[in-house]
Amino acid sequence: MNVAALLAIPFLAASPVAAQDQPSLPGLPQSVEVALKVQQDGSLSVTEAVSVPRDTSMTRTISLRTKADDNHERVRSIRDISIEGAGNAESGNDQVTFYLRGGTSVIRYTVDGTVGTSLGVEHVTWDIASGWDTRIELVRATFAAPAIPDALSCLAGPPGSTTRCGAAQIDHSGLTRVSVSKLNPGSRVELTAELPGGTVSPTERLAPTSPFAASAPVWWTWLAFAVLSIIGALAVFTLRRRDRQPGHAVPVELHDNGRFSSPDGVLPGHLGLLLTGRVASLDLAATVLDLCVRNYLWVSEASPGDWVLIRRNPPDQYLTAFEHAVYAAAVPEESARLSEVGKAGVRELVDDVVRRGWFFRKRQIGPRLSAYGVFLTVLLAFTVGYAQLGLMLLASGVAVTAAGRLLPMRRKTGRDLRDRLLGLNSKLLTMKPPRDELLFSRALPYAYALGEADAWLAKGCSLTAYWCGSPEADALPAARTSGFVAALTVAFECGQHLRPEEPKTPVPA
């Protein structure tokens, strides 16, 4: 009994239903009989019976990556390969190659990735015959599925051609039959069957042909990014417009149970940030002056215009972190001339305003997103593709960085405090000349920070500065302190490269 007869026994004994899964043995040399069946899980079972002329060989190469559209390739995988007859198979480089020798060989394998979906319709696509190195005289195939296909498409000829098969139809039993004769080497027979939605599980996998190719999900993601960017831009515009609105002076009192009190405990050094959004040299000078008034430092005039700062009391828990920094910068040792003023206090001042809830904290999430976007773009470009997702993350980082720079720094609490500081400014200008030397001195740093020092000094021209003088002389008149503050402001301006004194009018932070 010859090989063909032995191979025919299982097909002859099979039931009619089982016979749909098996091809009949070819009787014509260089012909192929194929049986296809799509399973419930979306896998495609393939059985091919190939007749190879005696003393010759035939080779078929199946590419596992085929063109799906202009931007994507369809990626499939083949498993569970078995060959009955004279032949063997090799896998690698996104393809599977079958080498068959003379006689009839039966090839069985399972394909994953053939079932796709579109508009609620499932479509199964597979090359019944492709990649043969010899002319195939006859290709016949059957296709079975859990449901009868709603439509068929069968193309024959070179890859990419649109020539339809000579015979492709569904018979009375629901079995799809295809027949193509005289298939040239390298040509293919491609069958696509449309099934009702939900018949089998989709398994199609699409990969971009270019790392930066765009797909529908990518375009939808870009659209979402554009919408969010517009919403973010409108939010930034609204917040900036609200912050630009001029403040309104809210009345405040300088006395609380007979003691000097500032709005919300604001310090003289805070005023520049709260009113202009910038730290000026005068703000640090006002902080040093406030430390003198509170008996942490002493000001001595060694000679006319030659001012010396002397440590009077060490910094304690009642000073903030930025006051500690300014204290150390102004008087590095036990005493220091103004020319020895060091660089410190600006970062601590900003941190203190943020900690009190008056300003937003400027976070570095934007630059980090940009860095992650660059990394992800490079990674995806050299691996699975979809590098536009990395570009999108990079664009998000740039947008967040730009929004962070454009957003006003002041919170609502900061804007409310700005209005109370404007009320403090009005109070200093309209109140009667103070008789209390302590009240006058405590308000003096705020008057300097607000740019109203001349008017305040005029109110207290008869008072003395108890924190300024020399051990051998009485305290200096308050009016003399203007020279000290001016020299101290210049020292901070030169030592820390800060802006000079600016009018404390409310401008965007």
Side-chain angles (χ1 to χ4, degrees):
M1 185 179 294
N2 58 28
V3 175
L6 288 173
L7 293 174
I9 293 176
F11 301 106
L12 295 175
S15 65
V17 175
Q20 295 177 1
D21 301 339
Q22 306 289 346
S24 60
L25 290 176
L28 184 67
Q30 290 185 207
S31 61
V32 180
E33 297 278 351
V34 184
L36 308 174
K37 183 176 182 180
V38 62
Q39 307 296 334
Q40 199 69 44
D41 63 358
S43 61
L44 181 67
S45 298
V46 182
T47 303
E48 299 182 12
V50 185
S51 175
V52 182
R54 186 184 300 273
D55 299 328
T56 62
S57 64
M58 294 174 59
T59 300
R60 183 189 181 190
T61 301
I62 302 176
S63 175
L64 301 180
R65 300 178 72 98
T66 58
K67 182 179 179 180
D69 54 43
D70 291 339
N71 296 318
H72 295 87
E73 290 181 328
R74 188 177 290 110
V75 182
R76 297 154 172 163
S77 60
I78 291 180
R79 55 184 170 87
D80 303 331
I81 300 175
S82 66
I83 300 178
E84 298 176 11
N88 64 289
E90 291 183 359
S91 301
N93 296 326
D94 294 325
Q95 64 183 26
V96 175
T97 303
F98 296 102
Y99 302 95
L100 304 178
R101 295 181 292 278
T104 299
S105 298
V106 177
I107 307 171
R108 293 183 176 87
Y109 53 89
T110 301
V111 186
D112 295 313
T114 61
V115 182
T117 58
S118 177
L119 301 177
V121 177
E122 295 176 351
H123 48 85
V124 184
T125 302
W126 181 245
D127 288 347
I128 296 172
S130 63
W132 287 105
D133 65 344
T134 58
R135 171 175 167 145
I136 304 299
E137 297 298 332
L138 178 64
V139 176
R140 292 191 301 185
T142 60
F143 172 82
I148 298 176
D150 293 330
L152 293 176
S153 173
C154 183
L155 303 176
S161 65
T162 57
T163 304
R164 295 191 175 275
C165 300
Q169 60 185 0
I170 303 174
D171 64 16
H172 64 280
S173 65
L175 191 66
T176 300
R177 298 184 181 276
V178 176
S179 178
V180 176
S181 60
K182 303 185 183 308
L183 186 68
N184 292 324
S187 296
R188 90 323 185 187
V189 178
E190 179 187 276
L191 176 66
T192 298
E194 293 186 1
L195 303 177
T199 302
V200 296
S201 299
T203 59
E204 185 178 57
R205 291 173 294 165
L206 297 178
T209 54
S210 166
F212 296 93
S215 61
V218 171
W219 285 119
W220 280 111
T221 307
W222 274 115
L223 178 61
F225 169 76
V227 172
L228 291 176
S229 297
I230 293 174
I231 294 175
L234 291 175
V236 170
F237 174 78
T238 301
L239 291 174
R240 285 176 61 87
R241 183 177 181 182
R242 182 183 303 168
D243 195 73
R244 285 179 179 271
Q245 294 177 353
H248 303 282
V250 176
V252 297
E253 292 296 332
L254 297 183
H255 291 83
D256 183 13
N257 295 326
R259 301 178 60 186
F260 174 83
S261 175
S262 63
D264 284 351
V266 67
L267 297 170
H270 293 146
L271 269 64
L273 276 173
L274 289 168
L275 293 178
T276 69
R278 296 179 292 270
V279 179
S281 54
L282 182 60
D283 301 320
L284 299 183
T287 300
V288 174
L289 181 61
D290 188 51
L291 293 175
C292 296
V293 171
R294 291 155 62 190
N295 285 320
Y296 286 99
L297 298 174
W298 173 268
V299 180
S300 176
E301 189 176 22
S303 61
D306 185 12
W307 303 95
V308 179
L309 285 170
I310 302 171
R311 293 189 177 188
R312 194 166 190 176
N313 288 298
D316 52 27
Q317 70 274 15
Y318 298 106
L319 297 184
T320 63
F322 96 85
E323 287 177 313
H324 275 269
V326 172
Y327 182 102
V331 192
E333 304 294 339
E334 288 301 317
S335 64
R337 281 181 162 77
L338 299 189
S339 59
E340 301 176 43
V341 170
K343 297 178 63 175
V346 176
R347 181 176 57 84
E348 292 83 359
L349 175 57
V350 175
D351 290 343
D352 191 65
V353 173
V354 171
R355 181 185 59 81
R356 292 171 183 253
W358 300 334
F359 271 31
F360 288 104
R361 182 177 297 278
K362 296 292 186 179
R363 302 188 181 275
Q364 298 298 317
I365 184 172
R368 290 179 182 176
L369 283 177
S370 299
Y372 295 153
V374 172
F375 172 76
L376 185 61
T377 301
V378 175
L379 179 65
L380 293 177
F382 287 96
T383 54
V384 298
Y386 298 106
Q388 288 206 42
L389 296 178
L391 293 179
M392 196 174 308
L393 187 61
L394 173 60
S396 300
V398 173
V400 171
T401 301
R405 293 183 179 275
L406 294 175
L407 274 173
M409 296 177 65
R410 279 189 296 249
R411 292 177 177 267
K412 184 180 184 303
T413 53
R415 293 195 300 272
D416 294 340
L417 183 56
R418 173 196 59 184
D419 295 341
R420 299 175 67 186
L421 292 177
L422 294 177
L424 173 63
N425 187 68
S426 299
K427 184 71 173 181
L428 293 176
L429 292 176
T430 59
M431 70 179 296
K432 295 180 180 180
R435 298 181 181 180
D436 186 348
E437 187 178 79
L438 178 60
L439 173 62
F440 171 80
S441 295
R442 287 301 309 274
L444 184 58
Y446 294 88
Y448 271 107
L450 289 168
E452 303 294 347
D454 291 342
W456 187 246
L457 287 172
K459 291 178 183 290
C461 59
S462 61
L463 301 177
T464 60
Y466 62 84
W467 40 269
C468 182
S470 62
E472 297 80 11
D474 295 332
L476 294 177
R480 290 283 305 279
T481 61
S482 59
F484 162 70
V485 176
L488 184 60
T489 301
V490 173
F492 275 115
E493 180 184 339
C494 297
Q496 308 211 78
H497 307 290
L498 294 174
R499 295 173 182 266
E501 178 183 353
E502 298 180 359
K504 296 300 190 298
T505 54
V507 298

